[in-house]
Amino acid sequence: MALIVQKYGGTSVGTVERIHRVAERVERAQKDGHQVVVVLSAMSGETDRLLKLAHEVTGAPDERELDMLLSTGERVTIALLAMELRGRGVNARSFTGRQVGIHTDSAHTKARISRVTADRIKEALSAGVIPVVAGFQGINASSDVTTLGRGGSDLTAVALAAALKADRCIIYTDVDGVYTADPNIVPAARRLDKISYEEMLEMASLGAKVLQSRSVEFAAKYSVPVEVNSSFKEGKGTLVTREDADMEGVMVSGVTGDRNQAKITIVGVPDRPGIAARVFGAVANANIVVDMIIQNVSQASTTDISFTVPKADLRNAVDLVQRLSEEIGARSVAVTESIAKVSLIGVGMRSHSGVAAKMFEVLSREGVNIMMISTSEIKISCVIEEKYLELAMRTLHTAFGLDRVSAPALG
């Protein structure tokens, strides 16, 4: 008998009929002899509907109250699934994030988990009850409701799996695994049987929408085996696990694209020690995540600093940077929104040379200009004009042998 955490995303519980299907799968797992914990997202579109309501009330909703509002979406689905299971004669009970002891910091709308007690889940499992848990939410030290950011139900599921020492955490979604690229953009994309935590983390943070990046971090830290499977068909998905020798033999595992980026440039920054620390310290204190940073060569004792932020944080970032630019004596602040980031990911990059050179050559042949570059041991990212993103993804996917049939080498 295994202890399994099953997580179902918004499309998986988007209608009453789909909730029936989830109940069938949960019931089947229990009949197979497993202990099951279920984590649910809100119905597809519900979080966006609530956000829209909030912004119809006020242009800048208070984040504490926003968390209170957004947390209601998951409460609907957990109650409905628990009712459905009980109607089938399966003993189930719904729980909020607060009730199962998901404690977070106080960064409303993007809180981070500090600890998970899961006492009530353990009690329920001991009594033969299937816990149905609201994903995406927790509670801070002041007993205020917090939410974990977009895709936070993935994080809830992995965190509970770690706390319970579950045998598996299965993420059921509308795709049947992790692909070498988004199949909607790259028709030749292939499903991967397995992928390392590191590669999945890079893919998630670079635009792949299969798993939330923080959930992958948590899984890697606590060695939680995560499977990505389809809610809508049977079959094998993708296992996210520790790196092995086979993975290193593959030069590039995937191509990702991210349109959720905007570039901010501070023009004419005084070139003296401490300026960058002052700028990015203030940005960090505002809980704004910075991705790429470029500082130009100093001319006439001034320089330009460019960096990218998520589009969701652009308004707050620009307001903050404009105030800072006046304080430090910079000339102006420029914003570019029509950009995108294309990335290559693969643990095999550690042992294969020439990946960056080939990437740049491929993009050059297609007339794609590179604005910014960022690298790590297992990824290379380029910021380009948004209009070229799909072309860049398809061309790189083919060039690096990721199509269903082709497999060329470097050179």
Side-chain angles (χ1 to χ4, degrees):
M1 181 175 70
L3 172 54
I4 301 171
V5 176
Q6 296 183 348
K7 180 265 175 179
Y8 294 90
T11 53
S12 305
V13 292
T15 65
V16 171
E17 176 58 35
R18 289 181 178 179
I19 290 174
H20 290 328
R21 293 180 195 167
V22 169
E24 290 172 2
R25 195 185 292 264
V26 173
E27 183 180 20
R28 186 164 65 247
Q30 187 189 54
K31 286 182 176 178
D32 288 342
H34 303 303
Q35 287 184 303
V36 184
V37 177
V38 185
V39 175
L40 299 183
S41 298
M43 288 181 166
S44 55
E46 181 64 10
T47 301
D48 288 337
R49 185 186 73 86
L50 294 171
L51 276 169
K52 183 179 178 183
L53 280 175
H55 284 93
E56 286 175 357
V57 171
T58 174
D62 178 81
E63 290 188 337
R64 179 191 180 278
E65 303 308 324
L66 196 57
D67 274 355
M68 186 69 77
L69 175 67
L70 297 182
S71 68
T72 63
E74 282 70 21
R75 295 189 181 208
V76 172
T77 51
I78 60 171
L80 290 174
L81 181 61
M83 291 175 191
E84 163 76 8
L85 287 168
R86 294 181 72 86
R88 292 168 173 263
V90 178
N91 197 356
R93 191 173 303 151
S94 62
F95 296 94
T96 65
R98 173 177 185 164
Q99 288 173 319
V100 299
I102 297 176
H103 299 270
T104 75
D105 60 19
S106 295
H108 284 289
T109 74
K110 45 190 169 186
R112 300 189 72 85
I113 294 176
S114 54
R115 62 190 175 95
V116 178
T117 57
D119 292 336
R120 294 191 68 178
I121 291 184
K122 295 172 185 176
E123 292 171 5
L125 290 171
S126 297
V129 175
I130 293 179
V132 183
V133 182
F136 179 62
Q137 60 187 251
I139 186 171
N140 66 15
S142 301
S143 295
D144 289 329
V145 173
T146 56
T147 63
L148 306 176
R150 283 289 185 179
S153 294
D154 292 347
L155 179 56
T156 301
V158 173
L160 288 176
L164 296 168
K165 295 181 170 55
D167 296 285
R168 278 182 290 165
C169 178
I170 307 176
I171 306 294
Y172 287 103
T173 181
D174 54 358
V175 295
D176 61 350
V178 180
Y179 278 71
T180 52
D182 183 344
N184 296 313
I185 297 174
V186 184
R190 295 178 292 108
R191 182 180 57 78
L192 299 166
D193 290 330
K194 61 183 177 180
I195 187 171
S196 72
Y197 291 124
E198 284 184 279
E199 289 172 316
M200 189 68 248
L201 180 57
E202 292 286 9
M203 283 193 177
S205 63
L206 294 170
K209 298 174 182 177
V210 179
L211 285 174
Q212 187 212 42
S213 59
R214 287 163 55 198
S215 72
V216 184
E217 287 179 5
F218 216 101
K221 182 176 181 180
Y222 294 99
S223 298
V224 177
V226 177
E227 295 178 23
V228 180
N229 284 7
S230 171
S231 295
F232 306 112
K233 63 180 181 181
E234 300 296 328
K236 187 178 179 182
T238 300
L239 175 65
V240 186
T241 185
R242 294 207 171 276
E243 179 183 330
D244 61 32
D246 291 342
M247 296 176 184
E248 291 183 357
V250 179
M251 181 173 54
V252 175
S253 297
V255 180
T256 63
D258 185 6
R259 289 186 171 89
N260 184 36
Q261 295 286 315
K263 183 176 73 168
I264 299 174
T265 301
I266 311 176
V267 181
V269 178
D271 189 14
R272 60 176 184 266
I275 294 293
R278 184 172 176 183
V279 170
F280 293 107
V283 172
N285 289 337
N287 288 314
I288 297 170
V289 177
V290 172
D291 184 14
M292 297 189 190
I293 302 173
I294 288 180
Q295 179 170 322
N296 293 337
V297 176
S298 176
Q299 293 183 352
S301 299
T302 65
T303 186
D304 298 341
I305 299 176
S306 296
F307 59 96
T308 59
V309 297
K311 283 184 178 175
D313 291 324
L314 180 60
R315 179 178 173 180
N316 290 339
V318 170
D319 289 345
L320 174 62
V321 170
Q322 284 178 335
R323 291 196 301 271
L324 281 168
S325 68
E326 293 175 3
E327 293 173 10
I328 63 177
R331 284 202 302 274
S332 62
V333 174
V335 177
T336 307
E337 293 190 59
S338 57
I339 64 168
K341 180 168 59 178
V342 62
S343 307
L344 296 177
I345 300 101
V347 292
M349 288 187 190
R350 294 192 184 115
S351 55
H352 290 83
S353 62
V355 178
K358 181 166 183 174
M359 182 182 190
F360 303 155
E361 178 188 345
V362 169
L363 293 177
S364 174
R365 282 203 306 262
E366 298 296 331
V368 179
N369 185 49
I370 299 171
M371 302 178 190
M372 305 173 80
I373 301 168
S374 175
T375 66
S376 74
E377 274 193 318
I378 66 167
K379 65 96 175 173
I380 304 169
S381 296
C382 296
V383 170
I384 61 176
E385 288 185 72
E386 185 178 10
K387 64 182 181 181
Y388 292 119
L389 178 61
E390 295 188 9
L391 170 65
M393 289 179 65
R394 288 192 292 268
T395 306
L396 289 168
H397 194 272
T398 299
F400 282 90
L402 297 176
D403 288 359
R404 295 183 191 278
V405 291
S406 59
L410 278 175

